[in-house]
Amino acid sequence: MNFETFKNAVFDIAAKKGLKNYELFGMEQREFEINFFEGAIEGYKDASSSGASFKTIVDGKAGMSFTEVWTPETAEKIIDDACENSQQVDASDPEFIYEGNGSYRTFPPFEDRYVKLPVEEKIAYGLEMEKAAKAHHPSIVNIPHCTYFDAAERFYVSNSHGVHLECGREGGGGYLVAVASDGKAAKTGLEFVAQESPVGLDFVTMAQKAAERALKKLGAKSIKSGKYPIILDYNMVGELLSLFSFMINAENVQKGLSLLAGKLHQAIVSPAITIVNEPYIEGGISNIPFDAEGVPTKTLTIVQNGILETFLHRIKTAKKDGVPPTGNATRGRYNQAPAIAPQNLLLRAGPLSLEELMRKMGDGLYITDLQGMHSGANPYSGQLSLAAEGFRIENGKIAYPVEQITIAGNVLELFGKVAGIGSESKLSLPSGNFSVYCPDLYFSEADIAGTESPS
Amino acid sequence: MLQKQEMEEVLSILLEAGGDFGELFFEDTRSAEMSMIDGKLEKVNSGRICGIGLRAFLNTNAVYAYTNDLSIENLKGTARRIGKALKGLPKPQEPFILNEKHYETKLPVLLPFEIIEKREKKHVMQMANEGARTYAPSGSALADLIGQIEVSYLEKDQYVRIANTDGMLTEDRRRRTRLTTRVIAAENGQKETGSSSPGYGTGFEFYNLIDPREVGQEAARIALRMIRADYAPAGMMPVVIGNGFGGVIFHEACGHSLEATSVAKGASVFCGKVGQKIANDCVNAVDDGTIPNAWGTSTVDDEGTPTQRNQLIENGILKGYLVDRLNARKMGANPTGSGRRENYTYAPTSRMSNTFLMPGQSIPEEIIANTERGLYAKTMGGGSVQPTTGEFNFAVLEGYLIEKGRVVKPVRGATLIGKGHEVLEKIDMIGNDLTRSQGMCGSISGSIPADVGQPTIRVSELLVGGRNT
């Protein structure tokens, strides 16, 4: 059964059961991945799956049920389960099914270009990147992870108000971890590429960057505890913005879980900061014209010059606040309930190159890695306490690599201390089902702990 | 469901197409999740995932595919496609016959989820909510600090059937449930969280064993203790780590680096160290996937190998690694029942199950009394590690400052970092109060349930990330 047939079966049964308000969300996805180790294919994955989630709303209360089995029997089963689930709900804020009065931006057509690439070509890319990383320097001793990947997804939203939407998207690229060793200690460097089209993917440069990241860290030492100015690498700014995306989620705001509740139209961070949500970024892998409830996605200025302008909404939270939905409903997979997330979260770039930021800072730290985001960063309190590594900057130049330090503070306080913004917003390490684009950021002060004893 | 003969046909294709080993993993999982905010049930979601993962090896190379189109034509086509990707020479194969083998379950269930009505599950959640709400006496100053109370309930019923070209055919059913409470305390525009989330490999009878109110109370206790705490100091100091979830330090600092996933590639600090001393003499550590009804237990692993008790460290000496089938080939070792995966969309690899430090002689009070100045990390949050370098970090959920052998005040915002191989040498006192706690462990084969555990321990010196005064 394909989605269309399954949807017709579900909608027929739902109508017969007298349901008035319902939606079927469907997803088909495929993923392809090759892992390389020491010049050979170590792992190979070629896979596909599909599933659907039925949601019905009775007296404002939503019940959901999902299945990966598309048969007439499961069509009836998910309807019955969703109805039963809705009866248990006693939340006071009503849920809604999209009535479909929005207009959608036209995106470039979905072409499924990665599927058309011969597997031999993908293998060649992988072998090439592993070789490039190894050849970069004799101190590169191991490439534990070297992967080529591509994936495509097709989304469907159909509901009882006559909304029937369908779109596809794809992306591919690679990532590589290089290990450098000086005989005493080992250091790792990670780099990745990911884009919508296979055209112009540069695996070799990516691999060399990963090797360079590892090499530069050799000979790292800790420093004394204290307050230091820091520059945060764009990838790490991206990680911190994931905390921020929790706080601008209207569902969290309405439940009193966000530090930003009640802060609309107030200054929340440095006036140098502007953050937007974009439904489409050229070459991006998270672009989508409609959200998981069928609402059109749109460009949204979330923070303008440090002032909080809007939260991200889905239909339920928008109705509660009396504002239009912003098109930010999301479902990572069909087995997850609708949540709220940006499509592409973008922190606007500034005027300064990394070298200029370092010169401006003079003395401080350039932090390239943060570890422990999922435990050491608390989205409720905004508190950070993370392991870090990077470089000591003296007189505006890299002096030596630094390891075994921690950074502590509050994410909003930290973003209040922005003293310089890098000149390019780049895709940071993909995590979760949205993309983040950030520049390097220079902060005037951060709390650092190190293992060196104070002199 | 696939018949035995159909499985044999699909597996044969993996060999004919070029593999020297083939494996089929069938999964049919039903799950339900409910979430409650402040006593009101907000979301109920339930459903079923069902699919097949096919894997083939040629020497130490592996290919994997998954699909949930379970028609025999699609499975044969998929097997042919990935078998060819191995680039082995297609060869006539000796026919094999699948011999079904049953093991006594290590996850017996008394009250299956499907016979319990949803309102009873909701009632358990309401009790946890009530425990949190009434932890501080109503009208007291502390009661006003309790903000949101989030309670979630999870049940999962995973049925797997695993077959391979060695002729092995077996099945396993893993039923697990977990109750999570998170409490937010707020004062003067600041927020702190406390949480408690016990889980078990049983049916609904789990809620006869625990009092859900206590789950709520524990979360409220931590949130209230932390909201008025000072920030933790920064710097090197002795750290006393509480029992139970404190075992996450061993999980991160050492456990991940003993997984064959890292070891086979030479990407672990513990490569080639079996038989050598890697920890202080008092350290004994075990990974045991057989503990009846434990959160990380299964009867067989996700490659069909029966789970076992693996001694990892004995009196400070490294005894062995955690090994899956593929890495067993690479290392010339035997699988240890450690091949695990989140579901059929992941190829299995070596993972921990229930991993813990064995108890020692000290009573916990004595460990604190013997510490001049340091941090008492009573309750831990999660953490992470880079196995290649051994560098780990983890968050302290509930911390206290120790001065002159006494716990003097609560402190918040502490993180602990270090290198695993260095920390193992610095564990200098081990308590007699071993307990285990439940966590979700994330790695390349997905997010899987795993127990961590330890008695109270002391690390003589560790970097505490906090604030500089």
Side-chain angles (χ1 to χ4, degrees):
Chain A
M1 240 183 212
N2 63 17
F3 182 79
E4 184 69 17
T5 327
F6 185 62
K7 183 205 81 186
N8 290 338
V10 169
F11 278 36
D12 279 352
I13 300 168
K16 275 187 200 132
K17 289 184 187 275
L19 298 180
K20 296 275 183 279
N21 235 337
Y22 49 88
E23 169 200 281
L24 190 70
F25 171 86
M27 250 178 109
E28 289 165 354
Q29 53 190 33
R30 59 152 202 87
E31 55 171 320
F32 181 84
E33 188 180 294
I34 318 176
N35 319 105
F36 303 87
F37 187 61
E38 295 184 343
I41 293 176
E42 183 203 32
Y44 182 100
K45 187 175 189 179
D46 181 357
S48 63
S49 65
S50 55
S53 171
F54 182 76
K55 175 162 86 173
T56 182
I57 296 172
V58 183
D59 301 329
K61 292 169 182 175
M64 279 165 291
S65 178
F66 59 88
T67 184
E68 289 185 340
V69 184
W70 289 355
T71 61
E73 298 76 51
T74 57
E76 174 138 22
K77 172 88 171 126
I78 54 170
I79 293 171
D80 291 345
D81 283 354
C83 291
E84 193 196 335
N85 287 344
S86 76
Q87 286 161 16
Q88 300 302 320
V89 171
D90 39 25
S92 44
D93 300 331
E95 287 271 356
F96 300 87
I97 299 287
Y98 185 48
E99 292 184 0
N101 45 9
S103 60
Y104 301 92
R105 271 175 61 171
T106 313
F107 279 29
F110 171 61
E111 293 179 43
D112 223 358
R113 281 166 289 203
Y114 283 95
V115 163
K116 293 168 194 153
L117 280 188
V119 171
E120 287 67 31
E121 204 169 307
K122 299 176 183 181
I123 293 172
Y125 288 145
L127 293 173
E128 205 174 73
M129 64 175 139
E130 196 195 24
K131 208 170 138 193
K134 275 216 170 117
H136 187 70
H137 194 275
S139 297
I140 301 295
V141 294
N142 196 356
I143 312 290
H145 299 283
C146 174
T147 295
Y148 166 90
F149 65 88
D150 62 62
E153 300 165 307
R154 191 168 275 280
F155 297 91
Y156 303 88
V157 179
S158 286
N159 72 31
S160 51
H161 300 313
V163 171
H164 296 288
L165 299 164
E166 185 182 334
C167 75
R169 71 180 178 199
E170 63 178 324
Y175 65 90
L176 184 143
V177 176
V179 179
S181 171
D182 54 9
K184 289 178 293 222
K187 282 286 165 192
T188 60
L190 164 72
E191 193 54 71
F192 76 99
V193 281
Q195 60 188 49
E196 187 192 18
S197 152
V199 178
L201 271 172
D202 184 354
F203 294 99
V204 168
T205 307
M206 179 274 283
Q208 289 166 341
K209 275 191 199 164
E212 195 59 29
R213 276 182 183 268
L215 269 182
K216 278 190 178 159
K217 292 184 197 168
L218 286 178
K221 54 186 181 181
S222 191
I223 52 171
K224 287 176 210 158
S225 299
K227 293 189 193 295
Y228 293 79
I230 62 165
I231 294 167
L232 211 51
D233 174 79
Y234 67 95
N235 273 312
M236 300 304 122
V237 175
E239 299 233 355
L240 295 190
L241 276 195
S242 65
L243 283 188
F244 181 72
S245 74
F246 176 93
M247 296 180 195
I248 56 172
N249 173 331
E251 202 144 32
N252 295 329
V253 174
Q254 291 175 359
K255 286 176 190 161
L257 303 177
S258 167
L259 283 179
L260 296 179
K263 297 272 173 74
L264 218 47
H265 310 302
Q266 295 179 24
I268 54 160
V269 289
S270 155
I273 298 284
T274 292
I275 300 172
V276 297
N277 174 59
E278 289 287 359
Y280 181 84
I281 284 188
E282 197 172 343
I285 54 173
S286 302
N287 300 339
I288 193 161
F290 56 85
D291 76 358
E293 294 176 326
V295 177
T297 53
K298 61 178 182 185
T299 300
L300 205 62
T301 303
I302 303 161
V303 174
Q304 173 100 49
N305 302 328
I307 296 177
L308 179 63
E309 296 294 351
T310 183
F311 296 117
L312 303 185
H313 286 279
R314 65 186 187 94
I315 304 172
K316 172 185 156 173
T317 60
K319 294 249 186 191
K320 187 174 183 182
D321 278 8
V323 298
T326 58
N328 290 103
T330 182
R331 302 176 88 159
R333 260 174 95 85
Y334 36 80
N335 57 359
Q336 294 164 5
I340 293 175
Q343 286 91 36
N344 297 288
L345 196 62
L346 183 138
L347 201 157
R348 290 242 187 266
L352 301 175
S353 69
L354 179 58
E355 290 67 33
E356 286 164 338
L357 287 174
M358 287 183 188
R359 275 204 294 277
K360 189 173 177 192
M361 180 169 73
D363 272 26
L365 295 168
Y366 168 40
I367 308 252
T368 54
D369 292 83
L370 294 173
Q371 300 288 332
M373 281 300 295
H374 77 284
S375 53
N378 185 326
Y380 300 90
S381 65
Q383 298 299 334
L384 301 173
S385 194
L386 301 167
E389 57 184 351
F391 301 91
R392 183 78 171 95
I393 306 298
E394 288 169 357
N395 304 316
K397 290 204 179 78
I398 289 180
Y400 55 87
V402 170
E403 64 167 13
Q404 293 289 295
I405 60 170
T406 66
I407 174 167
N410 186 290
V411 70
L412 291 179
E413 279 172 35
L414 192 64
F415 275 80
K417 293 177 184 166
V418 172
I421 299 189
S423 56
E424 196 186 346
S425 286
K426 289 181 270 191
L427 176 64
S428 73
L429 274 171
S431 65
N433 55 353
F434 61 93
S435 294
V436 181
Y437 292 80
C438 295
D440 298 319
L441 285 185
Y442 161 33
F443 301 93
S444 59
E445 188 184 88
D447 241 306
I448 304 290
T451 62
E452 290 303 295
S453 40
S455 50
Chain B
M1 199 168 67
L2 226 49
Q3 299 304 309
K4 195 170 114 176
Q5 192 202 331
E6 293 173 317
M7 291 189 190
E8 286 168 351
E9 286 174 33
V10 172
L11 287 169
S12 299
I13 292 173
L14 291 172
L15 297 183
E16 284 158 23
D20 62 19
F21 173 84
E23 176 192 80
L24 183 153
F25 177 85
F26 168 82
E27 173 179 16
D28 191 353
T29 295
R30 280 145 225 262
S31 62
E33 223 173 331
M34 306 203 269
S35 61
M36 180 178 273
I37 305 269
D38 288 339
K40 284 185 176 165
L41 198 62
E42 292 255 330
K43 276 180 195 160
V44 185
N45 193 10
S46 60
R48 176 179 176 196
I49 65 163
C50 185
I52 279 182
L54 290 176
R55 189 162 68 139
F57 299 162
L58 177 62
N59 303 319
T60 57
N61 297 333
V63 294
Y64 190 70
Y66 66 80
T67 177
N68 48 24
D69 174 355
L70 304 187
S71 66
I72 188 76
E73 300 74 40
N74 175 56
L75 292 173
K76 284 179 174 175
T78 306
R80 220 166 275 127
R81 203 171 69 237
I82 63 163
K84 272 187 201 152
L86 280 174
K87 304 224 183 305
L89 292 175
K91 51 197 173 295
Q93 290 293 328
E94 293 291 313
F96 64 91
I97 293 168
L98 291 175
N99 290 307
E100 185 144 19
K101 195 161 181 187
H102 294 279
Y103 301 95
E104 191 188 343
T105 182
K106 298 190 174 93
L107 298 172
V109 162
L110 297 172
L111 298 175
F113 302 123
E114 61 273 19
I115 68 162
I116 307 293
E117 287 192 39
K118 287 199 167 118
R119 60 184 170 80
E120 293 188 54
K121 296 167 186 173
K122 188 172 163 182
H123 181 63
V124 162
M125 299 171 76
Q126 281 160 338
M127 286 197 285
N129 176 71
E130 186 191 304
R133 182 60 67 199
T134 59
Y135 173 74
S138 73
S140 71
L142 283 180
D144 291 343
L145 303 184
I146 296 276
Q148 233 66 34
I149 301 169
E150 300 177 357
V151 179
S152 66
Y153 165 89
L154 170 77
E155 64 181 39
K156 204 167 193 175
D157 182 348
Q158 182 193 40
Y159 171 78
V160 301
R161 201 164 159 80
I162 308 158
N164 69 34
T165 55
D166 292 345
M168 185 213 76
L169 171 61
T170 191
E171 61 180 3
D172 196 8
R173 189 168 179 186
R174 297 93 176 238
R175 283 172 281 196
R176 298 186 178 103
T177 182
R178 193 176 196 194
L179 181 68
T180 301
T181 304
R182 177 187 281 119
V183 172
I184 298 181
E187 190 175 31
N188 302 329
Q190 297 197 9
K191 290 183 193 292
E192 280 299 330
T193 56
S195 66
S196 177
S197 28
Y200 219 41
T202 62
F204 200 70
E205 67 267 29
F206 178 51
Y207 303 101
N208 298 337
L209 294 178
I210 63 160
D211 181 350
R213 284 178 199 82
E214 288 177 4
V215 178
Q217 285 163 356
E218 173 69 359
R221 184 187 69 73
I222 296 171
L224 288 176
R225 190 49 69 88
M226 287 300 109
I227 186 69
R228 289 179 173 172
D230 289 337
Y231 287 107
M236 293 294 275
M237 61 188 83
V239 179
V240 177
I241 303 170
N243 67 354
F245 203 73
V248 71
I249 187 171
F250 182 78
H251 178 100
E252 299 298 350
C254 183
H256 277 295
S257 305
L258 295 178
E259 292 168 345
T261 317
S262 298
V263 177
K265 288 181 176 177
S268 163
V269 284
F270 297 117
C271 283
K273 296 265 170 85
V274 170
Q276 293 181 29
K277 195 160 176 307
I278 62 162
N280 207 339
D281 291 345
C282 60
V283 176
N284 288 279
V286 165
D287 178 87
D288 188 347
T290 71
I291 301 169
N293 294 111
W295 178 240
T297 292
S298 53
T299 307
V300 295
D301 71 2
D302 293 323
E303 300 178 323
T305 309
T307 52
Q308 62 187 50
R309 182 181 169 96
N310 296 302
Q311 184 86 37
L312 300 173
I313 299 175
E314 191 170 19
N315 302 327
I317 311 273
L318 179 61
K319 302 304 277 187
Y321 304 114
L322 297 172
V323 186
D324 58 291
R325 277 182 196 275
L326 179 63
N327 286 304
R329 290 182 164 212
K330 294 180 182 172
M331 295 163 65
N334 289 319
T336 58
S338 308
R340 301 187 69 195
R341 55 179 128 194
E342 180 178 336
N343 56 40
Y344 72 89
T345 68
Y346 295 88
T349 191
S350 50
R351 302 288 295 269
M352 286 175 265
S353 58
N354 307 298
T355 314
F356 47 93
L357 284 178
M358 298 296 286
Q361 303 298 321
S362 307
I363 55 170
E365 293 84 342
E366 181 188 334
I367 299 178
I368 293 172
N370 275 299
T371 304
E372 177 60 25
R373 183 178 181 278
L375 181 76
Y376 174 34
K378 185 175 195 301
T379 315
M380 300 301 304
S384 64
V385 67
Q386 291 197 44
T388 309
T389 60
E391 291 168 306
F392 68 81
N393 67 85
F394 47 104
V396 180
L397 196 58
E398 182 188 2
Y400 298 87
L401 195 66
I402 302 173
E403 277 175 1
K404 296 182 178 146
R406 290 188 51 229
V407 167
V408 292
K409 64 173 183 182
V411 289
R412 60 171 142 171
T415 199
L416 305 178
I417 74 163
K419 296 186 179 180
H421 47 294
E422 293 174 9
V423 163
L424 287 178
E425 299 278 357
K426 292 181 183 168
I427 296 175
D428 63 353
M429 291 183 86
I430 298 195
N432 59 3
D433 55 341
L434 169 66
T435 56
R436 286 179 284 114
S437 289
Q438 292 72 51
M440 292 304 293
C441 170
S443 182
I444 55 172
S445 64
S447 175
I448 57 172
D451 258 7
V452 299
Q454 67 169 33
T456 302
I457 65 165
R458 185 174 75 176
V459 180
S460 61
E461 194 183 46
L462 206 51
L463 178 61
V464 177
R467 299 202 183 185
N468 300 288
T469 44

Coordinates of all heavy atoms in Angstrom, one line a residue, chain B residues 55 260-261 301 303 322-329 334-336 338-340 348-351:
Chain B
R55 N 21.7 -8.1 7.2 CA 23.1 -7.8 7.3 C 24.0 -8.9 6.7 O 23.6 -10.1 6.9 CB 23.5 -7.6 8.8 CG 24.9 -7.0 9.0 CD 25.1 -6.4 10.4 NE 25.0 -7.4 11.4 CZ 25.8 -7.4 12.5 NH1 26.7 -6.5 12.7 NH2 25.7 -8.4 13.4
A260 N 34.1 -2.8 21.7 CA 34.9 -3.2 20.6 C 34.8 -2.2 19.4 O 35.7 -2.1 18.6 CB 34.5 -4.6 20.2
T261 N 33.7 -1.5 19.4 CA 33.5 -0.5 18.3 C 34.7 0.4 18.2 O 35.2 0.8 17.2 CB 32.3 0.4 18.7 OG1 31.2 -0.5 19.1 CG2 31.8 1.2 17.5
D301 N 21.2 -10.9 23.0 CA 21.4 -9.6 22.4 C 20.8 -9.4 21.1 O 20.1 -10.4 20.6 CB 22.9 -9.3 22.5 CG 23.7 -10.0 21.4 OD1 23.1 -10.8 20.6 OD2 25.0 -9.9 21.4
E303 N 21.9 -9.7 18.3 CA 22.5 -10.6 17.3 C 22.2 -12.1 17.6 O 22.7 -13.0 17.0 CB 24.0 -10.4 17.2 CG 24.5 -9.0 16.9 CD 26.0 -8.8 16.9 OE1 26.6 -9.5 17.8 OE2 26.5 -8.1 16.1
L322 N 33.9 -5.5 25.5 CA 32.6 -5.8 25.1 C 32.6 -6.0 23.6 O 32.9 -5.1 22.9 CB 31.6 -4.8 25.6 CG 31.5 -4.6 27.1 CD1 30.7 -3.3 27.4 CD2 30.9 -5.8 27.7
V323 N 32.2 -7.2 23.1 CA 32.4 -7.5 21.7 C 31.2 -8.0 21.0 O 30.4 -8.8 21.6 CB 33.5 -8.7 21.6 CG1 33.9 -8.9 20.2 CG2 34.7 -8.3 22.5
D324 N 30.9 -7.5 19.8 CA 29.8 -7.9 19.0 C 30.4 -8.8 17.9 O 31.6 -9.0 17.8 CB 29.2 -6.7 18.3 CG 30.2 -5.9 17.5 OD1 31.0 -5.3 18.2 OD2 30.1 -5.9 16.3
R325 N 29.5 -9.4 17.1 CA 30.0 -10.4 16.1 C 31.0 -9.9 15.1 O 32.0 -10.5 14.8 CB 28.8 -10.9 15.2 CG 28.0 -12.0 15.9 CD 26.9 -12.5 15.0 NE 25.9 -13.3 15.8 CZ 26.1 -14.6 16.0 NH1 27.1 -15.2 15.5 NH2 25.2 -15.2 16.8
L326 N 30.7 -8.7 14.5 CA 31.6 -8.1 13.5 C 33.0 -7.8 14.1 O 34.0 -8.2 13.5 CB 31.0 -6.9 12.9 CG 31.8 -6.2 11.8 CD1 32.0 -7.1 10.6 CD2 31.1 -4.9 11.3
N327 N 33.0 -7.1 15.2 CA 34.3 -6.8 15.8 C 35.0 -8.0 16.4 O 36.2 -8.0 16.5 CB 34.1 -5.7 16.9 CG 33.8 -4.4 16.2 OD1 34.6 -3.9 15.4 ND2 32.7 -3.8 16.5
A328 N 34.2 -9.1 16.7 CA 34.8 -10.4 17.1 C 35.7 -10.9 16.0 O 36.8 -11.4 16.2 CB 33.8 -11.4 17.5
R329 N 35.2 -10.7 14.7 CA 36.1 -11.1 13.6 C 37.3 -10.3 13.5 O 38.4 -10.8 13.2 CB 35.3 -11.0 12.3 CG 34.1 -11.9 12.1 CD 33.5 -11.7 10.8 NE 32.6 -12.9 10.5 CZ 32.4 -13.3 9.2 NH1 32.9 -12.7 8.2 NH2 31.6 -14.4 9.0
N334 N 35.8 -13.6 21.0 CA 34.4 -14.2 21.0 C 33.4 -13.1 21.3 O 33.7 -12.2 22.1 CB 34.3 -15.3 22.0 CG 35.0 -16.5 21.6 OD1 35.0 -16.9 20.4 ND2 35.7 -17.1 22.5
P335 N 32.2 -13.2 20.7 CA 31.2 -12.2 21.1 C 30.8 -12.4 22.5 O 30.8 -13.5 23.1 CB 30.0 -12.6 20.2 CG 30.6 -13.4 19.1 CD 31.8 -14.1 19.6
T336 N 30.5 -11.3 23.2 CA 30.2 -11.3 24.6 C 28.7 -11.1 25.0 O 28.4 -10.7 26.1 CB 31.1 -10.3 25.4 OG1 30.8 -9.0 24.8 CG2 32.5 -10.6 25.3
S338 N 27.0 -8.6 23.6 CA 26.9 -7.2 23.7 C 26.5 -6.5 22.5 O 26.6 -5.3 22.4 CB 28.3 -6.6 24.1 OG 28.8 -7.3 25.3
G339 N 26.0 -7.2 21.4 CA 25.6 -6.6 20.2 C 24.2 -6.0 20.4 O 23.2 -6.7 20.5
R340 N 24.1 -4.7 20.4 CA 22.8 -4.1 20.7 C 22.5 -3.0 19.7 O 23.3 -2.4 19.0 CB 22.8 -3.5 22.1 CG 23.0 -4.5 23.2 CD 22.9 -3.9 24.6 NE 21.4 -3.6 24.9 CZ 21.0 -2.9 25.9 NH1 21.9 -2.3 26.7 NH2 19.7 -2.6 26.1
P348 N 23.6 -3.6 14.5 CA 24.0 -3.7 15.9 C 25.5 -3.4 16.1 O 26.3 -3.6 15.1 CB 23.7 -5.1 16.3 CG 23.8 -5.8 15.0 CD 23.3 -4.9 14.0
T349 N 26.0 -3.0 17.2 CA 27.4 -3.0 17.5 C 27.6 -3.2 19.0 O 26.6 -3.3 19.8 CB 28.0 -1.7 17.1 OG1 29.5 -1.8 17.1 CG2 27.6 -0.5 17.9
S350 N 28.8 -3.3 19.5 CA 29.1 -3.6 20.9 C 28.6 -2.4 21.8 O 29.0 -1.3 21.6 CB 30.5 -3.8 21.1 OG 31.3 -2.8 20.5
R351 N 27.8 -2.7 22.8 CA 27.3 -1.7 23.7 C 27.2 -2.3 25.1 O 27.3 -3.5 25.3 CB 25.9 -1.3 23.3 CG 25.7 -0.8 21.9 CD 26.3 0.6 21.7 NE 25.6 1.6 22.4 CZ 24.5 2.3 22.0 NH1 24.1 2.1 20.8 NH2 24.0 3.2 22.7

